[in-house]
Amino acid sequence: MIKAIYRTSFTCEVDQASKETVKNGEQMDFFEFPSFDEDDSATEAENVKQNPPAFVPGSPYLDSVKDVWAIEDLYIDVDFDETFVARDKYELLSWATAQLCLSPSASIMLQEAMEDGWCVGIEDLSGPDFHLDVPEKMIVLDDNGMLLSALARSEYFRNMLLVSYIRALRDVWQEKRHGGFDEEYAPENILMLERVRAADLDVLAVFCGWELRGEGHGSLWRHLIGSEDGDIAMRFSGYLERDPSSLFNGQALAAAFSQWFRDIRRVSTCEHEVMNDLDIIMAEREDADMVFGNERLTRIKLETLSCLPDRTAYLQGKGSEILADPLYAGMQSMVNQAHLMQIIHDIQVTRVQNVPFRDSNLAQKIFPNGLFTPEAEVPVQSE
């Protein structure tokens, strides 16, 4: 796994594909799909559409996913103008992929995911807007339970799909560099890291929407302003209006990141999902000597989560503030606080025969080898 590395200049060590970015004033190289020969383009695209790669999902949650395509196969030689209406899932994903190629940041994340062999599908997830099957390298986007014909004609839901696609690509980017946090950190630190990571996904969606607006595609930006995360987009654009240079030094993105934590509902929902995942991990590792890690969370770890595809970090120098400020480190939901305390309590006790012990030696004496101590037979004395 390639991880982001903190340096004095705070650049991130990434693979060669991600290094084709702005450097010394040079023009950024946008990702371009490999083109088909003109005579064979229709035939190749039709073959991919009719014969998607065989796939057996590794997650039972997604055992109904059938139609997935490798990102590199989502190119079709079609002019995606405003009148384009997708006829099937393949064309809809091809349209979405082509749109993201117009964003410098999204195009780099898209290229890396393509080179790593990720594929994309659309299904009704009945909840989350996307799901990553990391072992199978599959991104599944939510279709909101809509018929394809309705989804393809609705500008609103197509923009929702684009936002989910951007967030999924950013999560793939983070997964490659950081993976999960449960093997290294304690529950309270995992919660902090996951909140920062969730905020980063929404911040990157806003950033890519702004880049598409600059390329003349303002539909996604208008969608973001009117969405439930519109406060993040407005904070970002408002900061840019007061200080245009903040687009290049990361201050506008940092302001958008801060705005994410000012919505209690958004933060509480994230916390609830994270702690449900921690419960699942605890159940899976019930017999392990150590359920979670004990590594100390540092500001550097938090700041590296904000590394952008152009090798800059918009949270540079803000890690200590995030660790100490109640806005980022506090918990507003009493229910989530109780849930976290219960998780911490459960990992500190030794549970034998469903009886919790704080002393493992005492548990061994009462339940040798984890078994009930047989009752001794009392001899009956005859008179």
Side-chain angles (χ1 to χ4, degrees):
M1 178 182 296
I2 301 177
K3 293 186 177 180
I5 300 176
Y6 186 91
R7 295 180 174 178
T8 303
S9 59
F10 208 95
T11 60
C12 299
E13 191 67 27
V14 296
D15 61 8
Q16 189 62 34
S18 300
K19 293 182 179 179
E20 300 298 329
T21 53
V22 178
K23 186 178 181 181
N24 298 327
E26 297 177 1
Q27 180 68 29
M28 177 181 288
D29 296 329
F30 291 176
F31 168 50
E32 296 181 357
F33 281 106
S35 59
F36 296 113
D37 293 336
E38 184 175 354
D39 296 337
D40 298 334
S41 60
T43 302
E44 291 288 343
E46 189 65 25
N47 287 339
V48 171
K49 182 171 64 176
Q50 297 297 334
N51 301 291
F55 180 77
V56 178
S59 170
Y61 173 62
L62 298 170
D63 58 1
S64 62
V65 177
K66 302 299 181 185
D67 299 330
V68 293
W69 293 271
I71 292 178
E72 63 180 344
D73 293 330
L74 290 176
Y75 172 81
I76 53 178
D77 193 9
V78 173
D79 182 17
F80 295 106
D81 57 19
E82 295 182 356
T83 62
F84 174 79
V85 177
R87 296 169 296 179
D88 50 37
K89 292 181 179 181
Y90 174 75
E91 288 187 354
L92 182 60
L93 287 172
S94 296
W95 167 84
T97 302
Q99 294 295 306
L100 296 190
C101 287
L102 301 175
S103 163
S105 298
S107 66
I108 295 175
M109 294 188 294
L110 193 64
Q111 181 180 17
E112 180 174 290
M114 183 194 73
E115 292 177 348
D116 289 341
W118 283 81
C119 54
V120 188
I122 304 179
E123 295 293 335
D124 181 11
L125 299 181
S126 301
D129 63 328
F130 73 90
H131 177 82
L132 296 188
D133 189 332
V134 178
E136 298 293 347
K137 294 188 174 182
M138 182 177 69
I139 299 171
V140 182
L141 304 177
D142 185 28
D143 63 6
N144 293 286
M146 299 181 65
L147 295 174
L148 181 65
S149 56
L151 179 61
R153 287 175 171 80
S154 171
E155 181 180 7
Y156 175 81
F157 285 103
R158 281 190 283 114
N159 282 325
M160 283 187 65
L161 184 72
L162 282 179
V163 173
S164 299
Y165 203 171
I166 295 170
R167 296 178 74 251
L169 289 173
R170 179 60 172 179
D171 211 19
V172 169
W173 176 280
Q174 297 281 28
E175 186 68 30
K176 178 177 180 179
R177 288 156 178 79
H178 302 282
F181 305 119
D182 51 277
E183 294 183 355
E184 299 177 12
Y185 297 97
E188 60 272 22
N189 292 332
I190 295 172
L191 182 62
M192 168 64 80
L193 288 164
E194 290 292 354
R195 283 188 297 195
V196 170
R197 185 163 167 172
D200 175 75
L201 299 188
D202 290 334
V203 169
L204 260 290
V206 168
F207 185 46
C208 292
W210 180 265
E211 290 180 334
L212 287 173
R213 178 179 179 269
E215 295 294 328
H217 298 268
S219 175
L220 181 60
W221 179 252
R222 292 191 296 270
H223 171 84
L224 287 168
I225 291 177
S227 69
E228 60 183 4
D229 294 328
D231 58 323
I232 302 175
M234 293 301 295
R235 181 73 183 277
F236 175 78
S237 61
Y239 204 100
L240 282 179
E241 290 178 1
R242 295 190 300 271
D243 182 10
S245 66
S246 62
L247 181 64
F248 308 101
N249 59 25
Q251 294 302 311
L253 289 174
F257 175 85
S258 175
Q259 184 63 35
W260 188 92
F261 287 87
R262 298 179 188 277
D263 187 328
I264 296 177
R265 175 197 53 81
R266 189 161 47 212
V267 176
S268 296
T269 300
C270 175
E271 292 171 347
H272 177 71
E273 293 175 353
V274 170
M275 286 185 287
N276 284 342
D277 290 339
L278 294 182
D279 284 336
I280 295 174
I281 292 173
M282 290 176 61
E284 293 175 346
R285 302 176 182 174
E286 185 177 4
D287 298 329
D289 294 335
M290 197 170 194
V291 179
F292 300 106
N294 56 7
E295 185 174 334
R296 187 174 69 90
L297 179 59
T298 64
R299 64 177 184 87
I300 295 176
K301 181 64 176 181
L302 293 176
E303 292 174 11
T304 54
L305 287 172
S306 70
C307 286
L308 299 175
D310 65 357
R311 299 182 297 159
T312 61
Y314 60 86
L315 293 181
Q316 179 181 0
K318 299 182 182 298
S320 298
E321 177 186 353
I322 294 173
L323 284 172
D325 193 333
L327 174 65
Y328 307 106
M331 294 184 69
Q332 300 295 327
S333 171
M334 298 299 292
V335 174
N336 289 340
Q337 287 184 31
H339 195 166
L340 177 60
M341 292 300 103
Q342 184 62 47
I343 290 174
I344 294 175
H345 171 269
D346 288 346
I347 64 175
Q348 291 176 343
V349 301
T350 301
R351 192 175 294 272
V352 182
Q353 296 292 346
N354 207 29
V355 178
F357 293 89
R358 289 195 176 275
D359 188 339
S360 58
N361 293 328
L362 177 62
Q364 179 65 23
K365 291 178 181 178
I366 297 178
F367 298 105
N369 299 320
L371 302 176
F372 284 107
T373 304
E375 296 182 2
E377 295 184 0
V378 180
V380 179
Q381 297 181 355
S382 58
E383 294 182 357

